[in-house]
Amino acid sequence: MSQLNPETRNLIDGRLVPASSGATFENVNPATEEVIGVCADGTKDDMEAAIAAARRAFDETDWSTNHALRGKVLRQLHQALLEAREELRAIVVAEAGSPVALTYAVQTNAFIDAMPYFVDLAERYEYEKPMSGIQFMGAPQRRILRHEAFGVVGAITPWNFPLYLNLCKLGPAMAAGCTVVLKPAPDTPWCATTLGRLLAEKTDLPPGAVNIVAGSDHRLGEMLTTDPRVDLVTFTGSTATGRRIMECAAPTVKKVFLELGGKSANIVLDDADLARVLGMAGMVCVHGGQGCAITTRLLLPRSRYAEGVEIVKAAFEKFPYGDPTDPSRLQGPQVSRKQQERVLGYIAQGKAEGAKCIVGGGVPKHLPKGWYVEPTLFVDVDPRATIAQEEIFGPVLCVIPYEDDDDAVRIANDSIYGLSGAVSSASEERALAVARRIRTGTLSVNGGMWFHEDTPFGGYKQSGVGRENGLLGFEEYLQVKAIGLPG
Ligand code: NAD
């Protein structure tokens, strides 16, 4: 793997700068617990300067209206990302603890390769179009519908898929003509600051159009949610923080666009080929289960419950976890000691509430360094139990028996979340009929994959507001203006 060559400075108003206080904070590799370097610890003054720069770039340059310039800058960014791909891959593995195998898909490659999609949107979107003529008080009227850049965007991202999540906010926001202040998670700052270096050194981005402020203090993010100069907050993270962001954004009536947590259900219908469907059940442990759309509740029909549990148990017992730099491992560590303790806390609670833990449940003895948790399988879980209701964000699967299709739908929908899910059946028609009744933003039927840069992604209920990716995701960053003209 490539040497680490991260950028450790923030990008503010076109310049790569240390923190105004000179302070730095440590970046720790979750697989080794070693400090791998430092990053500028952005201050309130830095965030203040970044917001001012983004406001100025929006109001005083032609970035928001010059579609050709934005297409050019995004094309330059794509080229720079391609050249830095191996460095970025090494950073994702080192700071997020992501298995390197995942970096060939969503963790690194997917959204580098998706950049031309955003170039295309920037350049080809129909920003202004005529509407049909109308009559008003007997006089004919013409109408024009315009889509304009929303304004200054505060983008706040988590640590689990850091490069992807930074890019899937920057790509459409820049394409739409917004200016941006990006605030990454403190656990994974370099996936953002290194993008800052590429933007500053390899593109013709106007100063202030994108600013990146990393820091150890979550309150930096909060400044974006309260400042009247910020027009829109796009946030990916926990539902708890999402609620707080909505509250903070209320006094300035900011648009908030939220991608939050999940507790998705995988419904296996009683006619499904269990060996095929459940043979891969260990995949819920991928990246330590630190994915919002992972199906962490497995619903098995009572009539085939024992048979299903045996297959899942075997899959869990052989799931490859350990050193994330080893391409054969699909599960690495949890991102921090705090997250490891949180997951272990949920496992203890699951046992205390009466669920049966039949695989894992602790810290692997053969991995003394790194914040690992064993692939953990709970069976006979009450659908109302804490571990079946709350997002654990760890390598933990809850198996829940159900009586018939209606019961499965009821259990699947009995959640504050509505992000994703899966349904399997020998009959595609029957699986689709169940899928249509599940209240979630994405669904896989018989193993089909929905994830792509042009697929809108987001949640029902408390899994979020709005959609990321696709045309809908791009249009989140646009305002709509209707203009009336006589004649
Ligand atoms: P988090 O909510 O703790 O933090 C996310 C980001 O918000 C970080 O950058 C953090 O510094 C910042 N933040 C914290 N408090 C803030 C505040 N009051 N105001 C503004 N910003 C604040 O989430 P996390 O632990 O970093 O990430 C895990 C969560 O992210 C999980 O719940 C997961 O489901 C969710 N997630 C959702 C999606 C999705 O697309 N729906 C994708 C990935 C992760």
Side-chain angles (χ1 to χ4, degrees):
M1 197 142 49
S2 186
Q3 285 294 310
L4 287 179
N5 178 25
E7 176 55 54
T8 62
R9 293 166 295 176
N10 286 325
L11 174 65
I12 299 175
D13 205 8
R15 293 190 315 123
L16 295 167
V17 290
S20 60
S21 63
T24 58
F25 68 108
E26 291 179 342
N27 196 350
V28 179
N29 181 329
T32 62
E33 302 179 30
E34 280 162 11
V35 175
I36 48 176
V38 296
C39 187
D41 197 357
T43 62
K44 264 179 85 173
D45 287 347
D46 292 327
M47 184 54 90
E48 169 61 39
I51 295 172
R55 187 74 257 168
R56 215 168 33 243
F58 190 83
D59 293 339
E60 296 173 16
T61 74
D62 69 350
W63 176 252
S64 69
T65 51
N66 190 337
H67 315 320
L69 171 64
R70 301 201 304 271
K72 177 180 170 199
V73 168
L74 282 165
R75 212 174 266 117
Q76 291 169 327
L77 176 62
H78 180 222
Q79 186 55 38
L81 287 165
L82 289 173
E83 286 161 16
R85 197 200 287 266
E86 297 314 313
E87 286 170 33
L88 291 165
R89 189 186 316 289
I91 291 172
V92 171
V93 174
E95 69 177 6
S98 167
V100 67
L102 290 195
T103 67
Y104 294 91
V106 59
Q107 275 289 23
T108 305
N109 285 16
F111 262 61
I112 292 180
D113 295 336
M115 277 297 127
Y117 176 72
F118 299 112
V119 173
D120 223 50
L121 282 173
E123 292 178 341
R124 293 184 194 208
Y125 187 76
E126 208 180 345
Y127 293 93
E128 186 168 306
K129 52 192 164 209
M131 294 178 70
S132 60
I134 54 169
Q135 295 280 325
F136 185 74
M137 302 198 43
Q141 312 289 331
R142 287 170 296 139
R143 292 172 299 167
I144 294 172
L145 196 62
R146 270 180 65 76
H147 288 84
E148 300 178 349
F150 206 97
V152 174
V153 167
I156 303 172
T157 51
W159 41 260
N160 60 334
F161 286 81
L163 185 73
Y164 157 68
L165 289 162
N166 291 336
L167 289 176
C168 78
K169 296 202 184 299
L170 281 180
M174 289 170 68
C178 293
T179 60
V180 184
V181 180
L182 170 65
K183 207 296 290 172
D187 308 87
T188 51
W190 293 344
C191 279
T193 48
T194 305
L195 290 180
R197 178 166 72 202
L198 301 182
L199 285 164
E201 295 181 351
K202 306 279 174 137
T203 76
D204 294 324
L205 183 79
V210 175
N211 305 271
I212 294 174
V213 186
S216 59
D217 190 338
H218 295 301
R219 278 172 300 184
L220 275 184
E222 193 143 321
M223 285 177 71
L224 289 169
T225 67
T226 53
D227 194 296
R229 292 167 296 179
V230 175
D231 298 293
L232 182 162
V233 174
T234 172
F235 169 76
T236 298
S238 62
T239 294
T241 306
R243 289 189 195 107
R244 171 84 187 141
I245 285 174
M246 269 189 146
E247 253 178 70
C248 290
T252 52
V253 195
K254 240 181 256 322
K255 174 170 174 176
V256 290
F257 165 21
L258 307 173
E259 298 293 340
L260 309 177
K263 191 76 192 177
S264 303
N266 178 4
I267 303 176
V268 179
L269 297 180
D270 59 10
D271 60 354
D273 175 348
L274 293 193
R276 190 183 61 75
V277 172
L278 298 176
M280 303 282 281
M283 287 302 281
V284 298
C285 301
V286 113
H287 190 24
Q290 301 170 120
C292 52
I294 291 176
T295 47
T296 51
R297 293 182 294 157
L298 174 62
L299 274 52
L300 291 182
R302 178 101 47 203
S303 57
R304 300 185 69 191
Y305 187 71
E307 184 192 346
V309 165
E310 272 318 299
I311 300 169
V312 178
K313 182 166 177 281
F316 264 65
E317 283 168 345
K318 62 171 197 279
F319 194 71
Y321 71 100
D323 178 4
T325 64
D326 175 345
S328 71
R329 309 286 99 174
L330 294 175
Q331 175 191 339
Q334 308 314 117
V335 78
S336 61
R337 185 180 302 284
K338 184 171 147 232
Q339 283 300 120
Q340 182 197 40
E341 284 169 358
R342 186 169 177 272
V343 174
L344 294 172
Y346 272 116
I347 292 172
Q349 189 160 1
K351 290 175 182 168
E353 288 182 12
K356 256 197 276 172
C357 181
I358 62 166
V359 181
V363 173
K365 293 193 180 46
H366 67 287
L367 294 168
K369 277 273 174 212
W371 295 304
Y372 292 94
V373 176
E374 292 173 314
T376 297
L377 180 61
F378 277 104
V379 296
D380 304 349
V381 180
D382 179 333
R384 296 299 305 164
T386 307
I387 56 167
Q389 288 291 324
E390 295 187 10
E391 186 183 48
I392 299 174
F393 233 52
V396 181
L397 180 65
C398 296
V399 185
I400 301 170
Y402 69 84
E403 303 304 330
D404 56 21
D405 292 11
D406 286 348
D407 194 33
V409 170
R410 183 189 60 74
I411 295 170
N413 284 334
D414 179 19
S415 170
I416 63 164
Y417 297 111
L419 195 55
S420 194
V423 186
S424 302
S425 164
S427 153
E428 185 174 293
E429 202 182 327
R430 186 174 164 212
L432 263 175
V434 169
R436 290 190 182 102
R437 296 170 65 192
I438 307 302
R439 299 197 60 226
T440 63
T442 55
L443 263 158
S444 162
V445 165
N446 285 338
M449 176 41 88
W450 42 263
F451 181 79
H452 197 256
E453 63 266 20
D454 69 358
T455 307
F457 174 65
Y460 285 30
K461 300 191 268 183
Q462 295 185 34
S463 285
V465 179
R467 291 293 178 273
E468 197 140 73
N469 302 337
L471 187 60
L472 281 174
F474 171 73
E475 288 177 339
E476 295 280 358
Y477 295 98
L478 294 171
Q479 279 280 21
V480 178
K481 179 183 285 176
I483 300 176
L485 301 142

